[in-house]
């Protein structure tokens, strides 16, 4: 019912920045909380950040605070992940997801196909 399409990934040098976008269609975007995740080869999917429907709260995994910023523009049905000071270990497929819940727990129902981020040394 809800389709999510990530974009903005690519190849970047260590220390550089990228802004990922996730465009939603097929639903009322503002009712969904949104999250960003990543998965590197051989590793489990990792939660990065989330934001509620109106942007009233945001949540980050501790290791990402200060480097990654989640935001959304409901007029564009889009959620963003600004990534700064990128490291080689940030290389992964990045996914966005939509769901419901509160800052303590979200249940994600819809997932995008992912966008590859590769950070070179």
């Amino acid at each position: 019912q809800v389709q999510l399409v990530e974009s903005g990934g690519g190849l970047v040098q260590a220390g550089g920045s990228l802004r990922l976008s996730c465009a939603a269609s097929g639903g009322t975007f503002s009712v969904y909380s949104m999250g960003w995740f990543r998965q590197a080869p051989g590793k489990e999917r990792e939660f990065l950040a989330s934001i509620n429907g109106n942007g009233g709260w945001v949540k980050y995994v501790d290791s990402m605070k200060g480097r990654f910023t989640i935001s959304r523009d409901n007029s564009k049905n889009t959620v963003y992940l600004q990534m700064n000071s990128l490291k080689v270990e940030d290389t992964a497929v990045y996914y966005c997801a939509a769901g419901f819940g509160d800052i303590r727990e979200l249940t994600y129902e819809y997932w995008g196909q992912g966008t590859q981020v590769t950070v070179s040394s």
Side-chain angles (χ1 to χ4, degrees), residues 1-4 23-27 77:
Q1 301 141 75
V2 175
Q3 294 176 306
L4 304 172
S25 62
N77 288 357

Side-chain angles (χ1 to χ4, degrees), residues 5-10 19-23 36 78-79 94 96 113-115:
V5 180
E6 301 96 335
S7 62
R19 188 173 78 161
L20 306 182
S21 299
C22 174
W36 283 99
T78 301
V79 63
Y94 285 70
C96 69
Q113 84 291 339
T115 186

Side-chain angles (χ1 to χ4, degrees), residues 51-93:
I51 185 169
N52 75 323
N54 65 5
W57 57 256
V58 296
K59 182 179 180 180
Y60 299 95
V61 66
D62 286 344
S63 61
M64 301 299 158
K65 290 181 179 178
R67 291 201 301 127
F68 289 11
T69 303
I70 189 170
S71 62
R72 68 191 296 160
D73 185 344
N74 286 348
S75 71
K76 298 180 179 179
N77 288 357
T78 301
V79 63
Y80 305 96
L81 185 69
Q82 178 68 46
M83 307 188 295
N84 299 324
S85 300
L86 284 163
K87 306 172 182 179
V88 171
E89 51 263 43
D90 293 322
T91 296
V93 178

